[in-house]
């Protein structure tokens, strides 16, 4: 018996305001620029980028804080960085007993990917 799951990729709904249009589509509104800058700023810190990567690459698409806290900083600092990633809309969390589990917000990541891929396609 296999534990393999087939997941369907969903396009984010542009109406939900998750992120931003592709760079090549049109100039950002002030609100889109603010929201997008907040996400990239959150990922601009090496510890946050490592935490984000740890969650994104963890099996089942979610990670317990107990599994990802070994990034070379104290536990309170890990909590601070995870909070910043949540505030930027990059992660969601769920408390289960004494542990908090984090997941990457798929619609935001898909929108960010579209933003960058469209810009890269245009430069070729």
């Amino acid at each position: 018996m296999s534990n393999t799951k087939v997941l369907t990729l969903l396009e984010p709904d542009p109406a939900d305001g998750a992120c931003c249009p592709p760079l090549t589509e049109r100039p950002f509104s002030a609100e889109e620029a603010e929201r997008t800058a907040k996400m990239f700023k959150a990922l601009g810190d090496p510890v946050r980028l490592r935490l984000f990567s740890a969650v994104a690459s963890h099996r089942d698409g979610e990670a317990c804080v107990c599994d990802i806290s070994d990034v070379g900083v104290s536990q309170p600092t890990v909590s601070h960085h995870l909070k910043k990633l949540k505030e930027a809309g990059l992660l969601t969390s769920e408390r289960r007993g004494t542990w908090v589990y984090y997941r990457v917000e798929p619609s935001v990541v898909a929108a960010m990917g579209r933003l960058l891929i469209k810009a890269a396609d245009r430069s070729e």
Side-chain angles (χ1 to χ4, degrees):
M1 182 187 305
S2 173
N3 287 336
T4 304
K5 296 178 185 176
V6 175
L7 301 176
T8 304
L9 295 178
L10 302 175
E11 285 295 318
D13 181 358
D16 71 5
C19 177
C20 39
L23 288 172
T24 56
E25 183 178 298
R26 62 175 170 73
F28 284 169
S29 69
E31 182 181 304
E32 289 166 336
E34 186 71 32
R35 189 171 43 242
T36 304
K38 189 174 182 182
M39 287 187 280
F40 282 113
K41 183 177 180 181
L43 291 174
D45 181 279
V47 172
R48 288 186 202 142
L49 188 54
R50 286 184 67 200
L51 288 167
F52 184 78
S53 174
V55 173
S57 64
H58 206 270
R59 68 178 178 275
D60 299 326
E62 69 176 8
C64 173
V65 70
C66 60
D67 295 329
I68 60 170
S69 59
D70 185 23
V71 291
V73 296
S74 67
Q75 180 56 48
T77 303
V78 168
S79 295
H80 166 76
H81 287 304
L82 289 168
K83 178 182 175 186
K84 292 295 184 183
L85 289 167
K86 279 184 62 176
E87 289 173 351
L90 296 167
L91 295 179
T92 59
S93 66
E94 177 184 348
R95 179 170 292 283
R96 298 181 198 157
T98 59
W99 296 109
V100 177
Y101 287 78
Y102 290 89
R103 283 179 296 291
V104 170
E105 183 56 52
S107 64
V108 172
V109 174
M112 288 176 72
R114 274 197 348 259
L115 173 143
L116 297 172
I117 289 171
K118 296 282 185 179
D121 288 347
R122 191 173 196 190
S123 68
E124 291 179 359

